[in-house]
Each structure stands twice: as structure tokens, then as C-alpha cells.
Amino acid sequence: MPRPAPTRHHLPGLLLLLWPLLLLPPLAAPGPLAHPGFRRLGTRGPGGSPGRSPAPAAPTRAPYSGAGEPGGARGAGVCKSRPLDLVFIIDSSRSVRPLEFTKVKTFVSQIIDTLDIGAADTRVAVVNYASTVKIEFHLQTYSDKQSLKQAVGRITPLSTGTMSGLAIQTAMDEAFTVEAGARGPTFNIPKVAIIVTDGRPQDQVTEVAARARASGIELYAVGVDRADMESLKMMASEPLDEHVFYVETYGVIEKLSSRFQETFCAIDKCALNTHGCEHVCVNDRTGSYHCECYEGYTLNEDRKTCSAQDRCALGTHGCQHLCVNDRNGSHHCECYEGYTLNADKKTCTVRDKCTLGSHGCQHICVSDGAASYHCDCFPGYTLNEDKKTCSAIEEARRLVSTEDACGCEATLAFQDKVSSYLQRLNAKLDDILKKLQINEYGQIHR
């Protein structure tokens, strides 16, 4: 039974399947694609062009997932764009139709998306040209992606003519100047120009481009459709297979943004995890890297490993009593026995004078608060009058008893001595009284 013809409601599905094929350029189109010395979309030339890092070997290459979409390859986290002073020189002559000019602006915006934009990173300017030349904005005008892309979106075509030489001269004289935002030689920032055109220059570009290259500007030439290949090669820097690009229509120019991202990419060696840094890996602007350590650690002589700093030995710890190094490279303060660490975690206050060992108690020291104390004695002993030393209770009693006995004997001896003396005195008195009586009696009877 023959298969029925596709009905109308099947056509949208077929168109969706065939649409990508319809957009592809012819596989064997004759013409400028056969010329050597320029790159067609999808080809790759050798690395090492002026102002860019050589392409690394395949195993270390960043996995460019999402290339061609804004920020797609950056998601891999391996590439970081090098700082540039970048000027786009875009052809807006009458041969570039409005929709095609929109494609060029999208191409410029997508390249901006892949770059690290900022005053200390990549700065961007746009020179618009046809029979006249207009600098749309300078390198110092915008320092963020959003503002740059909005400014690019506002650019409008100029007029007829293709004055490519005049456009390059204007970029060299007015866009790549320090006054316009370009960085001087001491910064060692590459100066890069990308010229986009679809026609043949109507003025002399050979000498102008040569002067631009001699001044240190790296020129990339992007040709579209009817672009003259010989003119592109005369404008571009060497090697040509790294600096000349060609696409057959403006419809696919956007895909070149991934190629430029690859060109301006500096390998993020820290993200490759081959750096060997024990603590922190830091990418340098030169495309290399260096190791750093966490706070409290010092980089060793091998420039990769780290050792904890002896903060206590530095003498800047501020601890009143003791400084103790911690394993994480920091430190903390402690106090001597009998002291308490204050709220400032550095100074100390006495907690127990008894523990200081200077109390002088013979037996027991008893704390009475934060800074006072008193002495006490072990069981069977009593505190002496000095309030520090102790004596056994039985010995004290014996001493008291002995002293009492001695005191009684002395008293008795004294009493006996006094009694004997009184007795002798009384005897003498009696004798005297008798003599007096006898004498008185004699006188009476005389």
C-alpha cells in the first residue's frame, strides 16, 4: 500500500529539521575561499600570533562548551581574557543592508561578552566608517559590558563609500591615544583592532595599515561576502592565517565570536589544577600564575608550599602573659596559673593568690576572693600568732603545763623566802620589845 503524502500539519516539523541545513554555506563554493593566506570559519591556524598566547596542546585546551554564545566558553572556567585596548572598525556603507549591519553589531556584542571588561581589564572603542569616519565611543567611555552593548546597539549606518584606509588612520590617530583611554607603553597592554568589511577599500590601505602595525597595533581583518581578499591581507597583521577571517554571509558572522574568544583567551592555569600550590593559586596578567598562602602562613622557598607563621615569636601578639601558636597559623593568649584571661583576650587578672605560691602559709592557704586570702592549719595543729605558721595542739598544751608548773615553784619559793624573812623580822621585833619593856620597868622602880 503506498505511503500517503505528508499532510500540511507535518510541514512545520520537516522545516524544523531542514532549517539548519538551509543555513549552511555551500561546501565547494568557488572564489576567494580557494585563496591561501586567510582563514575560513571552521579552520585553525598555528598559534603564536603577536599579542596572544600560543595555542596549548590539546589535552590542556579549555573545553569550549557553548562557544559562540555569550560567555559560553567562559563557563568552563579555564580561560580568562587578557587585558586589551580593543577597537572595532566596522563598515556601514550602503552595501551593508540594515539587517546585515544588525548582524555585525551582534557579532561585536558577542565578542564583548567573552571578554573581561573594565578599566583595569579590556577597554573597547568602536569606529564606524563608510565614506566618512565616526568614532562612536572611545576606550575610556564605558567600563562595563551592559553599557558597552547598549552603546553598540545604538550605532546606525553612515552612508556610501568604503574608506577603510581613512578608518584605520582615524583609529590610530584618535582612538589609540592615551587621551582617548588607551594605556601607555609602561602598561604593556596589547592594542588590537578588528576591521569588518564586505567590499573593496576605495582608498589606499597598504601604507596606512603598515604604519598602524609598526606603531604596535595588531590588526585583524574580517571579510564578508564580496570582500576583497587581497585588501584584507594587506590590512592584517602576520601571520595572515591567524589574522584574516572570511565568512560568506553576515548570517554566520556571529559564529566568529568564538574564534576571537579563543584568540584572546589566556589559559587559566590555576583552574587546570596542575599548579602545585598548597593553599591558593593566583593567575597573573601575563598568563602565568603564582602561589599564595592563607592568612597566618608564609610561602616557603619552593614558592608552592606554606608554613604556619610563628606569630608569638614575632612579638606583636599583645599577650600579657603567654602566647600560644595554633595549628591554623593563628595564635591565642593564655594566663599564668591563678590568673583569668580578660574579655580583651590578651590581658590577665589574678584569680587565686593562693595558687601563686607567695602566700607564706605553712600549711593551708584559703582564698577569700579575687585578691585576698588567709592561712589555716592541718588537723591537730593550731595557727600561731604570726597567722602563718602552725604548732601541734598537744605540744602547746605541754608547754603551757610546764610553764604553769615552773610558775608555781617560783611563787612557792618566793613565798617561803618572804615568810622566812618575816619570821626573822618578827623575832627581832619581839626582842626589841622585850628590851624596851625591861628598861621601862627599871625606870619605874627606880
Side-chain angles (χ1 to χ4, degrees):
M1 183 175 180
R3 181 176 296 175
T7 58
R8 178 171 296 181
H9 69 273
H10 289 136
L11 291 177
L14 292 174
L15 287 174
L16 288 174
L17 292 173
L18 295 174
W19 184 252
L21 298 177
L22 295 174
L23 292 177
L24 292 176
L27 294 177
L33 296 181
H35 288 252
F38 60 88
R39 295 180 62 187
R40 176 182 174 177
L41 177 63
T43 63
R44 176 180 296 176
S49 61
R52 66 172 295 229
S53 301
T60 60
R61 195 65 180 175
Y64 291 108
S65 58
E69 299 178 5
R74 299 296 308 280
V78 177
C79 280
K80 176 179 173 63
S81 70
R82 295 172 290 114
L84 304 171
D85 285 338
L86 175 61
V87 176
F88 290 94
I89 305 173
I90 55 176
D91 180 358
S92 66
S93 59
R94 182 173 296 177
S95 62
V96 183
R97 299 177 180 86
L99 181 59
E100 294 173 337
F101 191 68
T102 300
K103 292 287 187 181
V104 173
K105 293 193 293 183
T106 301
F107 164 68
V108 171
S109 294
Q110 287 185 345
I111 293 180
I112 291 173
D113 264 326
T114 67
L115 303 172
D116 294 309
I117 301 296
D121 294 302
T122 293
R123 302 179 184 181
V124 176
V126 172
V127 175
N128 187 8
Y129 81 97
S131 57
T132 60
V133 179
K134 177 184 178 182
I135 298 181
E136 297 290 344
F137 51 85
H138 289 284
L139 291 168
Q140 63 186 3
T141 306
Y142 302 105
S143 59
D144 64 278
K145 291 184 182 182
Q146 189 64 28
S147 300
L148 271 175
K149 291 162 63 177
Q150 289 174 354
V152 170
R154 293 191 294 267
I155 298 174
T156 57
L158 293 178
S159 59
T160 60
T162 309
M163 305 296 286
S164 302
L166 179 61
I168 296 173
Q169 185 70 51
T170 302
M172 182 170 51
D173 294 342
E174 300 181 27
F176 283 112
T177 63
V178 174
E179 293 76 14
R183 284 157 284 193
T186 57
F187 287 89
N188 196 28
I189 302 296
K191 292 176 171 54
V192 178
I194 301 175
I195 184 167
V196 182
T197 182
D198 71 339
R200 181 188 298 272
Q202 295 176 350
D203 57 357
Q204 295 296 321
V205 297
T206 304
E207 293 183 1
V208 174
R211 288 198 301 271
R213 294 193 299 267
S215 71
I217 299 173
E218 185 178 8
L219 279 168
Y220 290 86
V222 177
V224 184
D225 193 13
R226 299 171 298 276
D228 179 62
M229 290 299 108
E230 291 302 317
S231 298
L232 294 178
K233 289 188 286 185
M234 286 188 291
M235 290 186 287
S237 298
E238 295 284 350
L240 295 179
D241 56 1
E242 284 291 323
H243 292 83
V244 177
F245 295 84
Y246 175 83
V247 289
E248 294 174 345
T249 67
Y250 282 99
V252 294
I253 190 174
E254 300 170 21
K255 295 184 179 180
L256 279 178
S257 61
S258 63
R259 290 297 182 197
F260 279 100
Q261 178 188 17
E262 206 172 320
T263 298
F264 301 144
C265 171
I267 295 298
D268 186 349
K269 294 190 176 181
C270 291
L272 296 175
N273 292 323
T274 58
H275 47 78
C277 298
E278 183 180 5
H279 285 183
V280 181
C281 179
V282 180
N283 282 301
D284 299 326
R285 290 180 178 270
T286 59
S288 60
Y289 69 94
H290 69 274
C291 300
E292 293 183 359
C293 298
Y294 299 139
E295 185 178 1
Y297 289 81
T298 302
L299 195 65
N300 295 328
E301 291 184 2
D302 60 7
R303 315 306 298 172
K304 291 183 178 293
T305 60
C306 302
S307 297
Q309 293 177 353
D310 188 350
R311 291 291 185 91
C312 295
L314 295 177
T316 58
H317 48 78
C319 299
Q320 183 181 4
H321 284 183
L322 301 172
C323 177
V324 180
N325 283 302
D326 300 325
R327 287 191 175 183
N328 59 3
S330 61
H331 71 282
H332 70 274
C333 299
E334 292 183 359
C335 298
Y336 299 139
E337 187 178 2
Y339 288 81
T340 301
L341 193 65
N342 295 328
D344 61 6
K345 301 300 182 183
K346 290 183 178 293
T347 60
C348 302
T349 300
V350 64
R351 179 185 71 247
D352 186 354
K353 282 200 170 183
C354 289
T355 59
L356 299 179
S358 59
H359 47 76
C361 298
Q362 183 181 4
H363 283 186
I364 301 171
C365 180
V366 181
S367 292
D368 295 328
S372 64
Y373 68 97
H374 70 274
C375 299
D376 204 348
C377 297
F378 298 141
Y381 290 82
T382 184
L383 192 65
N384 296 327
E385 291 184 1
D386 61 7
K387 301 300 182 183
K388 291 183 178 290
T389 60
C390 299
S391 296
I393 295 175
E394 292 298 329
E395 182 181 355
R397 286 178 179 175
R398 181 180 58 78
L399 290 173
V400 170
S401 299
T402 302
E403 289 175 359
D404 289 346
C406 292
C408 290
E409 290 177 0
T411 302
L412 291 173
F414 178 75
Q415 289 176 351
D416 290 343
K417 186 175 181 180
V418 172
S419 179
S420 176
Y421 177 77
L422 289 174
Q423 288 176 0
R424 289 194 304 270
L425 183 59
N426 286 333
K428 288 181 178 181
L429 288 174
D430 288 344
D431 185 55
I432 292 171
L433 287 174
K434 285 179 180 182
K435 288 179 179 181
L436 287 173
Q437 287 176 358
I438 294 171
N439 187 32
E440 183 181 359
Y441 180 78
Q443 289 179 355
I444 293 173
H445 292 281
R446 180 180 293 175

